[in-house]
Amino acid sequence: MNILSPSILASDFAHLAEAAEMVAHGGAKWLHIDVMDGHFVPNLSLGPDVVKCLRRFSDLVFDVHLMIDTPEKYIDTFMEAGSDIITFHVESTRVPLDVIERVHAAGKRVGITLKPGTPVESLVPYLDRVDVVLVMTVEPGFGGQSFMEDQLEKARFLKKYKDENGLAYDIEVDGGVNLRNVRACLAAGINVIVAGSSVYKGDAAKNAADFMRVLGE
Ligand code: DX5
Ligand code: ZN
């Protein structure tokens, strides 16, 4: 079953609880929460206190995308705040295995991701121990950018690797996804779709429902 993970980065931050509720209404099961530190990426977004507040208003699976340096310093706080999935960048830490182990020890799911310029092979040492692999189809830092189709090659590699090695990780895509390119993502082996502007521009419940229809085709 394919999954939609709407990115609240594109929502109105004055109404985050409603933003979560609207997409749940449209059939989304996950909520993508982008965390930026102004160092790893040139933007700031939101932190663990926001996750904690939002947790009281939503039963969605909180899919937290950490775009921060040294994530090992912050994962405990994000997990205590109510994150269900912690995804970190392979470029952001010297201790990826520690991060993976600590997230699992806390009973949560862990994801690994990479910037568009980072070769997919850099993920191979971790693929047998993660729950999610996230393919970035924009340079992380901002919503509303154009989809980088060439990055789907990484998804095809990850799907083949997963099948050949009997692994079960979800393959997620993030950045510039819309109703025109989502089928190409699915065809590349992706089963979790992050969508920010294409969901939150206009009627979020309806847009999420439109995505869900394609994901169920
Ligand atoms: C970008 C973020 C994305 C972003 C996606 O750094 O990781 O999750 O919110 O937004 P859209 O779908 O607008 O590209
Ligand atoms: Zn993201």
Side-chain angles (χ1 to χ4, degrees):
M1 188 53 195
N2 297 315
I3 294 163
L4 178 65
S5 190
S7 170
I8 52 157
L9 186 68
S11 75
D12 177 351
F13 276 14
H15 300 278
L16 286 174
E18 289 92 325
E21 198 184 326
M22 285 189 294
V23 295
H25 232 90
K29 297 285 182 278
W30 290 19
L31 189 69
H32 189 81
I33 303 176
D34 286 307
V35 177
M36 306 179 186
D37 67 352
H39 292 273
F40 184 72
V41 290
N43 196 7
L44 293 160
S45 57
L46 39 81
D49 289 343
V50 177
V51 175
K52 192 173 176 181
C53 290
L54 200 50
R55 188 72 283 180
R56 307 203 324 266
F57 293 94
S58 178
D59 294 327
L60 292 168
V61 172
F62 281 7
D63 167 31
V64 175
H65 177 192
L66 297 179
M67 286 164 273
I68 64 177
D69 279 326
T70 56
E72 59 274 16
K73 291 185 188 162
Y74 304 97
I75 51 178
D76 291 332
T77 317
F78 276 100
M79 291 192 289
E80 283 156 21
S83 309
D84 297 295
I85 304 168
I86 297 279
T87 293
F88 69 98
H89 275 262
V90 68
E91 309 92 346
S92 69
T93 177
R94 293 182 183 178
V95 288
L97 291 174
D98 282 6
V99 173
I100 293 168
E101 205 169 290
R102 279 171 52 199
V103 175
H104 278 159
K108 312 275 186 177
R109 280 178 267 175
V110 66
I112 195 161
T113 185
L114 72 181
K115 291 180 172 181
T118 303
V120 69
E121 289 77 13
S122 66
L123 301 182
V124 166
Y126 315 106
L127 291 178
D128 63 346
R129 53 194 83 193
V130 294
D131 305 288
V132 177
V133 185
L134 173 62
V135 175
M136 292 297 307
T137 41
V138 296
E139 215 43 77
F142 299 90
Q145 305 180 74
S146 307
F147 183 73
M148 298 164 78
E149 177 136 32
D150 62 335
Q151 297 297 311
L152 290 183
E153 199 46 49
K154 292 180 181 172
R156 286 186 277 270
F157 172 93
L158 291 165
K159 174 73 166 101
K160 188 162 177 270
Y161 190 93
K162 167 177 157 170
D163 292 345
E164 284 177 359
N165 293 280
L167 298 171
Y169 51 75
D170 288 306
I171 308 177
E172 183 174 25
V173 66
D174 183 12
V177 181
N178 55 42
L179 285 169
R180 294 180 302 283
N181 57 32
V182 63
R183 286 182 184 83
C185 296
L186 299 175
I190 286 156
N191 71 303
V192 182
I193 301 290
V194 175
S197 0
S198 56
V199 165
Y200 282 106
K201 210 186 269 173
D203 182 339
K206 181 191 175 294
N207 293 337
D210 288 345
F211 267 102
M212 289 307 294
R213 255 187 301 281
V214 178
L215 297 194
E217 275 171 7

